[in-house]
Amino acid sequence: MRPSDSHEVSQLNELKIDVGALCVGAHYAEAGVNVMVEQMPIYGGYAGGLEATTIVDVATTLNSFVMLQATWHLDGPVHVRWGITTAREALCVAGHAAKAIEENTHLILGNQYYTLAGPCTVMCLLETAAQAITDTASGREILSGVASCKGVTTDLFTAMEARMMGEAAHAVAGMDLHEVNVLLDKLVSMYEKDYKTAPTGKKFQECYDVKTLTPSQEYVEIYDEAVEILKGLGLDYWD
C-alpha cells in the first residue's frame, strides 16, 4: 500500500479499544500514512436510544483523532434490530452527530452504507438514497458503500447502488435542511414498512454482464423507477 492510501484501524463498541488496535495505530503513526479509523455505534445497544447513541457517536469520532491520530473517521451508526445504517433511527444518529462535528471542527468524516434490501430492487436504491441525502445535508465529506443485504452475503452488491449513492448526494447538495427533513420523512416511510419482507434481490452475476461490467436492462429499468420516485419527492437532479 502507498502512504496516501487509507490504512484502517477499528475501535470497539462502545468507546472501547483493544491492545491490537493500539499497536496498529502506533505503527501507522510511525509510518506516517493516512489513517482511517472505523467505528459503528449501535442504536438500541449499550448506549441506548437516540440521544445517548448520538453522544457516543460524537465522542467516538473525536476519539479517533485524539487516540489514533486519524486522517479521517469512517462512521456507521447501525440499528440493533435490523443491522442496517439506513433505518430512521440510524440516520438520525448519523445526521445529528455529523452536523455537530462539522459545525465545530474541520475534521473529515465518512459513513458506511448497509441496506436491508439487495441489488436490483427499488427498496435498496431508496435506502441508499436516504442515507446519501442524510450524509450530504449533514456535511459528511466521504460516502462509503454500498454493502447491500447488510453486507453479509457473497456477491450481493453492484456499482448501481454506488451510482445512486453519488447521484442522490448531488441531488440534495445545497438544499435547505428543513426541506431535507420533510423529504427524508417521506422517503424513509416508503421502505421502512417493508423491513420484515425486504427483497434479497439478485447477485452481481445475475444483474450484470460480468464481461462488459454493465448492468442488465432489468436493473436499469429498476434504477429509473427509483429515480422517478425521488423526482416525485422534489429532487430535480435527473431532469
Side-chain angles (χ1 to χ4, degrees):
M1 292 179 69
R2 300 164 299 181
S4 57
D5 293 329
S6 286
H7 294 63
E8 180 177 357
V9 58
S10 296
Q11 300 179 68
L12 303 177
N13 298 91
E14 299 284 357
L15 288 172
K16 298 182 183 296
I17 195 167
D18 61 352
V19 174
L22 290 174
C23 292
V24 171
H27 164 68
Y28 289 163
E30 286 295 315
V33 299
N34 281 332
V35 181
M36 181 270 281
V37 180
E38 179 264 351
Q39 164 66 358
M40 300 179 73
I42 301 175
Y43 165 79
Y46 294 123
L50 284 175
E51 293 84 356
T53 307
T54 303
I55 292 171
V56 164
D57 195 357
V58 172
T60 297
T61 301
L62 297 177
N63 190 54
S64 297
F65 295 92
V66 174
M67 179 176 286
L68 294 167
Q69 300 181 41
T71 307
W72 65 284
H73 176 77
L74 181 60
D75 202 1
V78 64
H79 195 288
V80 70
R81 169 64 179 86
W82 303 110
I84 58 176
T85 59
T86 56
R88 181 182 297 269
E89 297 84 357
L91 295 177
C92 261
V93 172
H96 283 91
K99 191 63 175 176
I101 294 168
E102 290 289 346
E103 288 287 335
N104 294 283
T105 75
H106 297 291
L107 302 176
I108 301 175
L109 306 180
N111 205 8
Q112 305 175 72
Y113 285 58
Y114 289 83
T115 67
L116 193 55
C120 209
T121 68
V122 171
M123 180 175 173
C124 177
L125 295 173
L126 294 183
E127 288 183 76
T128 300
Q131 186 168 337
I133 289 167
T134 302
D135 288 337
T136 303
S138 59
R140 290 187 191 271
E141 291 82 9
I142 300 173
L143 312 183
S144 176
V146 175
S148 305
C149 269
K150 301 191 285 188
V152 297
T153 305
T154 303
D155 294 334
L156 278 178
F157 63 91
T158 83
M160 287 289 270
E161 298 91 74
R163 174 183 172 184
M164 175 57 76
M165 181 178 68
E167 291 189 345
H170 279 289
V172 78
M175 184 178 289
D176 177 76
L177 277 179
H178 175 71
E179 294 180 7
V180 171
N181 280 326
V182 173
L183 186 155
L184 277 173
D185 185 49
K186 295 177 181 177
L187 178 55
V188 175
S189 296
M190 290 180 178
Y191 64 76
E192 63 182 353
K193 64 182 183 301
D194 298 321
Y195 283 168
K196 292 184 179 181
T197 57
T200 302
K202 295 186 176 182
K203 291 188 175 183
F204 173 79
Q205 57 269 32
E206 296 174 325
C207 59
Y208 253 72
D209 185 314
V210 296
K211 292 183 178 180
T212 63
L213 299 181
T214 54
S216 65
Q217 182 60 35
E218 178 190 18
Y219 203 173
V220 171
E221 292 173 0
I222 287 172
Y223 191 94
D224 290 342
E225 182 181 346
V227 165
E228 288 302 313
I229 292 172
L230 295 173
K231 288 168 66 175
L233 292 174
L235 297 181
D236 59 5
Y237 174 80
W238 297 272
D239 290 337

